[in-house]
Amino acid sequence: VMSNFSIVREFFYLLGFPGSQELHHILFAIFFFSYSVTLVGNTVIIVIVCVDKRLQSPMYFFLGHLSASEILITTIIVPMMLWGLLLPGMQTISLAACATQLFLYLAVATTEFALLGAMAVDRYVAVCNPLRYNVIMNSRTCIWVVIVSWTFGFLSEIWPVYATFQFTFCKSNLLDHFFCDRGQLFKLSCDDTLFTEFVLFLMAIVIIIGSLAPTVISYTYIICTILRMPTASGQRKAFSTCASHFTVVVIMYGSCLFIHVKPKLTQAAEYNKIVSLLISVLTPFLNPFIFTLRNDKVKEALWDLMKCCNQLFKG
């Protein structure tokens, strides 16, 4: 560990999770299981969306990209976290690897927000303007929305990560987290980070609230339209097409509003770790279950895929 007046030039130590080695082994088993289910579940969603003709619609096209982003965001964080739980001492990470991890994590998370906003607008058109749905949400529009979402996600995080690593880290090289968290990096800086933190706070508001606004507006119109439907069965059918997306929106935005949209990024480390786990472990883990258990088309496609695989193994 470096002295208080040394400058971090090469690497950080990740403190990870507190507790005994036995607790670390239990956490390893839990997170390894969650990560495995996340990879398998989201990969299955991508496969059935690509191969099943019943799922060739904008909603499932966006769902495939959302599943891809969930695989990426959990893979950016969890393997390194698992390795740290197995090591007897503290885990080291180079400055370059730290910057890369932070950039990829923020870029993919921003892309997810954009995709969730696009999915909300798609549900609005499907429920409130069904006769023009195929005209408005045509394949060209959907492809452009996805391209813009991924491009915006990665371009919008270049300056924030660059600005973060322009500071001098001289207080210590101990990061009290299981990955390169920006709030903890600011705690290690001996420079005045107040202005940069404020600018990043404003950018977080623009990105999160900017993508949340179309979601709120879309669901306001959706709820009003559903309540005006004459039959209860029609209301249930319309609501069921939106329930899965709405559940993911609540989890994702709820977690990120707690951790990002606040002027002081250097909040308590333990609180930060818990909310980071919601974003990088829990949401990707729940995504396949949320979108399959409440969706008959996805369940039918999944069942057909299982029967096809069974026949291949028997043959």
Side-chain angles (χ1 to χ4, degrees):
V1 179
M2 302 175 68
S3 68
N4 287 341
F5 302 101
S6 301
I7 296 176
V8 178
R9 298 186 186 277
E10 295 180 3
F11 59 87
F12 293 104
Y13 288 104
L14 297 176
L15 294 182
F17 295 94
S20 64
Q21 197 65 28
E22 289 75 19
L23 176 62
H24 284 191
H25 290 156
I26 294 170
L27 290 174
F28 175 86
I30 294 170
F31 293 141
F32 181 78
F33 171 76
S34 301
Y35 181 56
S36 301
V37 172
T38 298
L39 290 183
V40 173
N42 283 288
T43 301
V44 166
I45 287 179
I46 293 170
V47 170
I48 62 175
V49 166
C50 290
V51 302
D52 198 294
K53 290 183 180 179
R54 288 168 294 189
L55 305 183
Q56 302 300 306
S57 70
M59 181 175 78
Y60 299 108
F61 178 68
F62 293 136
L63 176 58
H65 281 270
L66 183 68
S67 293
S69 69
E70 298 282 30
I71 290 173
L72 286 174
I73 203 164
T74 194
T75 300
I76 290 163
I77 302 298
V78 174
M80 182 175 288
M81 181 177 70
L82 291 174
W83 182 243
L85 287 169
L86 284 180
L87 291 175
M90 288 183 291
Q91 188 178 12
T92 60
I93 183 171
S94 68
L95 271 175
C98 185
T100 302
Q101 185 186 49
L102 179 62
F103 171 72
L104 291 175
Y105 172 74
L106 294 174
V108 176
T110 303
T111 301
E112 278 200 41
F113 289 135
L115 289 171
L116 287 171
M119 291 175 77
V121 174
D122 169 73
R123 292 299 83 210
Y124 158 73
V125 178
V127 174
C128 301
N129 204 349
L131 297 179
R132 297 194 62 207
Y133 180 71
N134 291 329
V135 176
I136 297 171
M137 300 302 296
N138 58 64
S139 58
R140 185 178 179 182
T141 300
C142 294
I143 290 169
W144 270 109
V145 167
V146 164
I147 290 172
V148 169
S149 296
W150 283 100
T151 304
F152 172 74
F154 278 77
L155 291 182
S156 64
E157 296 299 338
I158 292 175
W159 182 83
V161 175
Y162 172 80
T164 300
F165 283 88
Q166 291 307 297
F167 293 114
T168 303
F169 304 108
C170 61
K171 292 181 180 178
S172 171
N173 64 346
L174 294 176
L175 269 176
D176 191 5
H177 216 294
F178 52 81
F179 80 106
C180 275
D181 175 69
R182 186 165 61 194
Q184 297 304 308
L185 286 169
F186 282 133
K187 287 180 73 172
L188 303 184
S189 175
C190 51
D191 301 321
D192 183 7
T193 64
L194 188 61
F195 176 73
T196 301
E197 287 189 64
F198 180 69
V199 173
L200 295 179
F201 161 68
L202 292 179
M203 290 184 69
I205 287 180
V206 170
I207 291 170
I208 296 177
I209 304 300
S211 59
L212 183 60
T215 303
V216 172
I217 294 169
S218 295
Y219 273 103
T220 301
Y221 280 104
I222 287 170
I223 291 169
C224 292
T225 302
I226 290 174
L227 292 176
R228 287 200 300 266
M229 289 180 176
T231 63
S233 60
Q235 290 178 342
R236 282 195 299 271
K237 184 178 179 181
F239 180 75
S240 67
T241 65
C242 307
S244 300
H245 172 261
F246 185 75
T247 305
V248 174
V249 164
V250 170
I251 297 172
M252 272 293 294
Y253 282 98
S255 302
C256 289
L257 285 170
F258 273 116
I259 198 170
H260 290 301
V261 182
K262 51 198 307 183
K264 191 168 179 59
L265 291 170
T266 56
Q267 66 269 22
E270 298 308 315
Y271 168 87
N272 205 330
K273 290 176 189 176
I274 292 170
V275 183
S276 296
L277 285 173
L278 290 177
I279 299 167
S280 60
V281 177
L282 184 63
T283 307
F285 173 78
L286 292 177
N287 184 53
F289 298 103
I290 292 170
F291 280 101
T292 55
L293 295 178
R294 298 188 62 91
N295 192 303
D296 291 333
K297 281 188 178 180
V298 175
K299 283 192 284 188
E300 289 171 9
L302 187 59
W303 180 248
D304 289 345
L305 180 65
M306 290 171 64
K307 287 194 292 186
C308 183
C309 291
N310 188 41
Q311 289 173 356
L312 286 174
F313 283 121
K314 283 184 177 180

